[in-house]
Amino acid sequence: MLTTTPADAAEHLALLREKRDALLRRASSLQNASKSILGRADAEGRDLNPLESARIDKNTAEFDSLDREASRISDEILAAERELQASTPPRPRQTAPNPVAGPLGGGLPTRHAAIGDARSFSNLFGAGVADPYRGQFASLGEFALAVAAGNDSRLIRNVGMTTGPGVDGGFAVPLEFLGPVLDAALSREVVRPRASVVPMHSKSVAASTFDYLDGTSGKRGGLQLMWSAEAAALTEQKGKLREVNLTAHKGSILVRVSNELADDAPAFDLQLSRAMVAAVAAGLDAAFISGTGVAQPLGILNAASLITVDKESGQGANTIQLQNLAKMIGRLAPSSYADAVWLVHPTAVPQLYLMSYTTTNVAGSEIVSGTAAQAITQGPNGDLRIFGRPVVVTEACSTLSSAGDVILADFSRYLVGLRADAMIQRDSSAYFASDEIGFRLVLRCDGLPMDNTPMKLRDGTNTVSPFIALGAR
């Protein structure tokens, strides 16, 4: 009796996937070739000639054959995956299981989520959620065009996201396409790359964290270093924990594309991806910074843990003074110094470049001297720093002179929950007159600070926070 080793099973699985992917690429090229022939005839306002008709018929016949073969190999891949799982010795579990719920996977909802450093979608969900389409779509553009057609038998309705019937309920997005969109957006975002991100396998999860809000007498998370004599009994202590509850909120991005662009599959795929990436990045940052917490994430500007530094006496509108920045960093939690960044709205940037420190007379009625602000530095690549911490320019902040146009934040104390399920909906009726198609990407996430009040220092009176904002002027 022959025994399949894990290495043999893995090699067989890799070969099957490679073969299937080659078939799908060939099928996609045939589809594009036929579209090109049809597009050329439409542009010239004529019917297909016999040679063109024959070419399309040949492409169609080969496409159908490839599709059947790819479907057969997909079934073999599923069997090979089960064989690989059976041939791999089980390993002891290192963490509690997180079963997947919803239309993209089965299992019971999980109640608690572990806070970790994995921020990319592929790290959070890549190995834990199966792709319901089994590689039947070669790209995001091909999938979107199938959604636009509406009658593609490969599509899976995402009934778990909404109660709407049929197309109104949207279609589940292949994870291999959703992941790259969210991971590409990650490189453009301000908050999520620096935040503590947890996967959400159910609508709501509770994440446990140590409570650092009361640092009286040097306590950290309810624990305190105690001193005792040799052989003396030690004082038993109990850490202080608090739960942060995350509830997935629905966010959507509407992308409009022309029917002409949709006919050019490669260009459509690229531009659709770019548009969605840019919209996801801008939308998530805006929510994590200024979200109200009602049917959307709670942004730091509306959080109870935020400390707002008031303007200086007599300070005029549309100004930023060095004293503002100094007082802001004076309210930053000491544990946040290493991770904090400054967020500045583009309209506030000129104030940083032109900032100087002035000295007035005793009466405060006359400026007697002025020097450039040494707290504002610039690296050889143009990057700004304030008191040694990086400056990130983002339109997610408020505009100049509004509260929150300058923010000092340690986003490691901000919690982001991300779900794996998403859907794409189509709407062509709204843009009928302009000959366009609307694609709406719907995803679910949540975000809020881990702390619900500012933190008390050792003296029990003064307070600091990971999130500081400059007030209105």
Side-chain angles (χ1 to χ4, degrees), residues 92-147:
R93 181 177 294 281
Q94 300 299 316
T95 59
N98 284 323
V100 179
L104 298 186
L108 297 174
T110 179
R111 171 169 168 73
H112 285 79
I115 300 175
D117 292 329
R119 296 174 177 89
S120 74
F121 185 91
S122 57
N123 287 339
L124 287 171
F125 299 106
V129 182
D131 177 8
Y133 293 100
R134 294 181 289 177
Q136 295 182 84
F137 293 101
S139 67
L140 175 63
E142 181 185 341
F143 170 73
L145 290 175
V147 173

Side-chain angles (χ1 to χ4, degrees), residues 187-255:
S187 65
R188 301 188 182 193
E189 293 173 43
V190 174
V191 179
R192 191 160 55 108
R194 300 172 171 87
S196 297
V197 183
V198 299
M200 298 182 66
H201 298 297
S202 58
K203 179 178 174 60
S204 299
V205 298
S208 297
T209 178
F210 275 94
D211 188 341
Y212 293 97
L213 298 181
D214 188 358
T216 304
S217 301
K219 292 181 180 179
R220 297 294 184 271
L223 303 178
Q224 183 179 6
L225 180 63
M226 306 292 290
W227 301 97
S228 60
E230 291 291 336
L234 301 181
T235 302
E236 183 177 347
Q237 302 182 65
K238 183 178 180 180
K240 186 178 181 182
L241 298 174
R242 62 183 300 265
E243 281 191 351
V244 181
N245 294 304
L246 293 164
T247 301
H249 301 295
K250 182 174 71 174
S252 61
I253 297 158
L254 183 61
V255 181

